[in-house]
Amino acid sequence: MSTPPGAAAFCLRLVRRQLLLAFRRPIDIANPLVFFAMVIALFPLGLGPAPDQLAAFAPGVLWIIALLSNLLTSDTVFRGDYDDGSLEQLLLAPQPLYLSGLAYICAHWLVTGLPLVLISPLFAVMLNLPAAGILALALSLLLGTAVLSLVGAIGAALTVGLRRGGMLISLLILPLYMPVLIFGSACVQAAVTGVPTGPYLAILGAMLSLAIALAPLAVAAGLRISIDA
Amino acid sequence: MTPPAPLLAARSLTLSRGGRELFRDLSLAIGPGDLVQLEGPNGVGKTSLLRILAGLSRYGYEGAVERSGALLYLGHKSAVKAQLTPRENLALHVGGEGSHGDAAIEGALAEVGLYGYEDVPSHTLSAGQQRRVNLARLYLCSSPLWLLDEPFTAIDRAGVGQLQSLFVQHVEGGGAVLLTSHQPLAVDYPVRALTLSQGSAA
Amino acid sequence: MWSFFHKLGSPPWLYGIAGSILRYLLPVTVIALVVGAVWGLLFTAPDFRQGNSYRIIYIHVPAAVVALAGYYVMAAAGAVSLIWRMKMADVAMKAAAPIGAALTFVALFTGSVWGKPTWGTWWVWDARITSMLVLLFLYLGVVALYEAFDNKEAASKACAVLSLVGMVNIPIIYKSVDWWYSLHQPASIKFTGESTIDSSMLYPLLLMITAFYCLFACAMLMNMRAELLEREAKTGWVRKLAAEGAH
């Protein structure tokens, strides 16, 4: 019998729990990466294998695939906990749902966004992205995928109560992904052409700050609505 | 002596679903020492009422609910993660209660008859055993108010008897229990019955 | 003040007042539309560069302006529904979404038709067209989310959250798309930029914009009345209305 933990300790517990769950099913971490690799393989087949042509498309292509692989996993953020009733318990916890939601998103990013960032140089090489763009790609993905996870969680929270949320969630959140795509791919493009990437990363960072501040509000509201539906 | 302040008070709750009124102007107060059984035929709104009282349903009803003190709500779903062991399920619970020591968790699991199952993956447990993992929270949680939706589902007869004596122990210690169940409680304690019938409450 | 809010929450009162507003607003809308269209299409001089094809702005611009404003109307209704839990705000939000989507589509379609004689192609990834396309997606998202829920009350709340998220994002999306376009603007397509508009063309345009606002209001009120009847189909006042055969 003990007093409820503070919000920070509780969030740490949630992150540990989500990570433990993810590591018990490592295939779920690997799947988006395999998806990424397979879609990479589609582009030379569709566009032709000419290296300079691939290099020209690489910044945009890499970012679009990152966006899609994030989209594929965003539905799962709250789905499992909704199905087995854990989400009800989370909503009844005395700690603020704003922070709990943020903990879920953080864990989701750690198992989807971060691996993508780490493996992105490999994919960049496969698409002939010039070496100058590789660091910019990793850095822009580092900031950008965090925004994608935050925005995706809004869609996940709003659709978790629906039996077939998968297709709907793309319709809801893809338009919201567009600014990240624009600045993410422009950042890589800038690095390739030798323009400083600082401003682009700063804008992505600003988007991340805004998303951290506001997205959990929408996530909390969405979860309360979904659990009621 | 003034009566103790209620742990849960609901005033004039009215709920309709799909144009059909489930209950109207339902008021109730539950204080320390109350063991309340919510009864009624299927589809009469027992679970809906419990979810409103727990604060999970926020829309679609009229009236007001006030709670003081922490709440433990156990619903139909067991909230047990199949990939985690019973020990991990309790240690990393999302319900927001305090962190429990290993000894406390082992004690609670032993109480619900899962001694020796602490570290096996929960997906190897039977449905009844998984529900028992969830019920172990009753031994760990210090919340005074328990709202339990069909706590006896999939629990064997000995387990049901043990749970019922736990309820009595809890209310005698100043807690309160509101549960839905179709089977009568066989306890040596006054049970308040709250019966929902079609379109009204008595 | 409070009694007004109280009345606003009462479906029969809202149904009635929407009806009386429509009685006056509908003729005004029709007159404004007819006058604006005739004035703009027949009585203004052709543009010295684009000839007569520019006249589509009398449909295109009002539709685009009101479509964007409509999203904010929808989001404002969503905020009211979330903060004050006013059910009538749900009705307003649900009524606004399809109209906004339709106007966005009209703006896109007329923009495309205008693009053919002006740029020689039906579709150009121009900043404004792209932004309108995103707006259409945002509207469709709200409509699709509403339809996906069985519980219409939860549907309204979820759409309210989504439209607020969209409202925060619209300026970001617009600015991003603007910036993106300025980065990629191809040299072969040259725009006149912020050209000034002659007042003889401006006044009919302003009249058409006003008319489109009225049109939006009329369509929204009609939608709200229909939605109210559907939601309240089992209540006394609707039955009475049906029995009277009232309009």
Side-chain angles (χ1 to χ4, degrees):
Chain A
M1 306 265 163
S2 50
T3 53
F10 183 57
C11 285
L12 273 179
R13 183 199 292 178
L14 291 178
V15 173
R16 269 185 57 203
R17 171 179 185 270
Q18 294 305 100
L19 291 182
L20 189 61
L21 281 170
F23 288 123
R24 289 280 154 83
R25 306 263 302 270
I27 193 72
D28 287 349
I29 304 179
N31 277 345
L33 300 176
V34 176
F35 170 82
F36 199 122
M38 285 181 176
V39 180
I40 291 273
L42 295 183
F43 275 88
L45 295 177
L47 294 172
D52 51 339
Q53 197 178 358
L54 285 179
F57 284 117
V61 165
L62 287 164
W63 253 100
I64 289 172
I65 307 173
L67 201 132
L68 292 180
S69 77
N70 182 280
L71 187 69
L72 282 182
T73 59
S74 60
D75 186 44
T76 61
V77 186
F78 302 109
R79 175 75 57 194
D81 276 3
Y82 178 85
D83 288 343
D84 67 23
S86 302
L87 202 56
E88 290 173 355
Q89 299 295 330
L90 181 76
L91 260 64
L92 293 173
Q95 291 83 0
L97 189 56
Y98 177 95
L99 294 173
S100 318
L102 201 54
Y104 271 71
I105 298 166
C106 182
H108 175 253
W109 179 77
L110 284 173
V111 295
T112 59
L114 192 59
L116 200 63
V117 173
L118 296 176
I119 209 164
S120 62
L122 176 67
F123 296 138
V125 170
M126 287 168 72
L127 278 186
N128 289 89
L129 184 74
I134 289 179
L135 181 66
L137 177 69
L139 286 178
S140 63
L141 281 176
L142 188 69
L143 293 167
T145 51
V147 183
L148 298 184
S149 284
L150 283 155
V151 174
I154 299 176
L158 285 171
T159 56
V160 71
L162 305 170
R163 215 156 287 139
R164 302 185 318 134
M167 194 63 211
L168 184 61
I169 192 171
S170 2
L171 192 55
L172 302 189
I173 60 180
L174 270 181
L176 308 178
Y177 277 178
M178 287 177 187
V180 180
L181 172 67
I182 289 174
F183 284 97
S185 58
C187 177
V188 182
Q189 194 78 59
V192 171
T193 51
V195 180
T197 54
Y200 301 96
L201 294 173
I203 288 175
L204 285 173
M207 286 180 185
L208 178 58
S209 319
L210 190 70
I212 289 179
L214 295 183
L217 284 177
V219 168
L223 288 178
R224 291 198 194 283
I225 293 161
S226 288
I227 210 77
D228 199 0
Chain B
M1 203 179 99
T2 56
L7 291 164
L8 173 79
R11 279 194 313 276
S12 38
L13 293 178
T14 300
L15 176 74
S16 349
R17 282 282 148 86
R20 203 165 55 86
E21 202 162 77
L22 291 177
F23 43 81
R24 158 172 288 280
D25 268 335
L26 180 101
S27 294
L28 63 96
I30 295 171
D34 280 342
L35 176 54
V36 187
Q37 182 174 16
L38 184 58
E39 294 169 320
N42 294 128
V44 83
K46 297 190 295 295
T47 295
S48 302
L49 176 60
L50 218 58
R51 289 174 69 86
I52 289 173
L53 294 177
L56 283 171
S57 283
R58 293 146 52 89
Y59 300 115
Y61 71 93
E62 283 155 45
V65 178
E66 281 168 35
R67 281 186 313 274
S68 63
L71 156 83
L72 180 63
Y73 166 87
L74 300 186
H76 282 283
K77 297 175 183 169
S78 67
V80 169
K81 281 283 168 203
Q83 304 100 297
L84 301 182
T85 66
R87 186 198 300 280
E88 288 162 343
N89 262 304
L90 293 174
L92 298 175
H93 202 273
V94 296
E97 64 249 23
S99 43
H100 317 295
D102 265 353
I105 289 175
E106 280 165 18
L109 286 172
E111 289 282 0
V112 294
L114 289 175
Y115 179 78
Y117 289 95
E118 295 90 348
D119 296 312
V120 302
S122 296
H123 60 80
T124 61
L125 301 177
S126 73
Q129 283 174 317
Q130 291 199 11
R131 286 201 59 93
R132 281 163 181 266
V133 174
N134 199 27
L135 291 169
R137 292 182 65 212
L138 295 173
Y139 291 91
L140 288 168
C141 221
S142 51
S143 310
L145 175 64
W146 293 358
L147 298 182
L148 311 174
D149 202 355
E150 303 285 353
F152 305 135
T153 305
I155 302 295
D156 57 33
R157 199 174 299 166
V160 170
Q162 197 192 347
L163 274 178
Q164 295 190 354
S165 50
L166 175 67
F167 297 159
V168 171
Q169 195 187 328
H170 181 65
V171 293
E172 279 175 347
V177 178
L178 170 62
L179 72 146
T180 66
S181 179
H182 292 291
Q183 65 188 88
L185 296 187
V187 291
D188 192 15
Y189 190 88
V191 178
R192 257 172 71 191
L194 183 67
T195 310
L196 287 182
S197 55
Q198 299 293 347
S200 70
Chain C
M1 184 73 183
W2 281 113
S3 70
F4 175 70
F5 269 119
H6 189 74
K7 275 186 189 164
L8 214 52
S10 143
W13 184 84
L14 193 68
Y15 182 84
I17 202 79
S20 9
I21 294 174
L22 274 175
R23 206 164 301 139
Y24 297 102
L25 193 57
L26 210 51
V28 171
T29 309
V30 172
I31 291 169
L33 275 177
V34 170
V35 171
V38 171
W39 188 2
L41 297 182
L42 299 180
F43 292 95
T44 54
D47 185 74
F48 78 96
R49 201 176 308 155
Q50 298 187 23
N52 280 321
S53 71
Y54 91 95
R55 290 181 200 277
I56 204 162
I57 62 163
Y58 295 113
I59 308 290
H60 174 73
V61 174
V65 167
V66 178
L68 188 56
Y71 198 92
Y72 282 85
V73 169
M74 186 177 73
V80 171
S81 134
L82 283 179
I83 298 168
W84 288 292
R85 298 188 170 200
M86 202 182 277
K87 284 188 186 171
M88 295 309 111
D90 290 352
V91 175
M93 192 185 65
K94 203 236 154 181
I99 308 167
L103 282 174
T104 314
F105 182 77
V106 168
L108 278 171
F109 182 76
T110 52
S112 165
V113 169
W114 190 15
K116 187 63 185 165
T118 317
W119 301 323
T121 168
W122 291 106
W123 186 266
V124 173
W125 288 98
D126 148 76
R128 275 176 228 167
I129 293 181
T130 312
S131 295
M132 283 315 274
L133 186 64
V134 178
L135 184 67
L136 181 65
F137 292 153
L138 289 174
Y139 269 123
L140 292 180
V142 173
V143 174
L145 185 64
Y146 189 91
E147 295 305 324
F149 276 89
D150 293 326
N151 176 349
K152 288 309 168 200
E153 189 141 9
S156 305
K157 303 297 172 195
C159 288
V161 172
L162 184 66
S163 56
L164 285 173
V165 170
M167 194 183 80
V168 171
N169 269 281
I170 282 181
I172 301 176
I173 294 173
Y174 271 52
K175 282 287 160 204
S176 307
V177 170
D178 258 357
W179 177 86
W180 159 81
Y181 188 68
S182 69
L183 187 74
H184 291 279
Q185 190 164 357
S188 58
I189 301 170
K190 201 70 191 157
F191 286 88
T192 48
E194 289 299 312
S195 59
T196 51
I197 182 165
D198 189 73
S199 59
S200 70
M201 296 176 182
L202 182 65
Y203 291 132
L205 182 61
L206 289 180
L207 180 63
M208 280 306 270
I209 291 177
T210 316
F212 265 69
Y213 270 110
C214 295
L215 182 67
F216 182 86
C218 284
M220 191 167 148
L221 286 171
M222 287 174 175
N223 249 356
M224 281 172 73
R225 272 162 66 96
E227 177 71 16
L228 280 172
L229 290 183
E230 200 178 317
R231 287 194 181 202
E232 304 271 314
K234 287 184 179 150
T235 58
W237 69 271
V238 177
R239 283 171 199 274
K240 202 170 137 222
L241 215 59
E244 285 168 2
H247 33 275

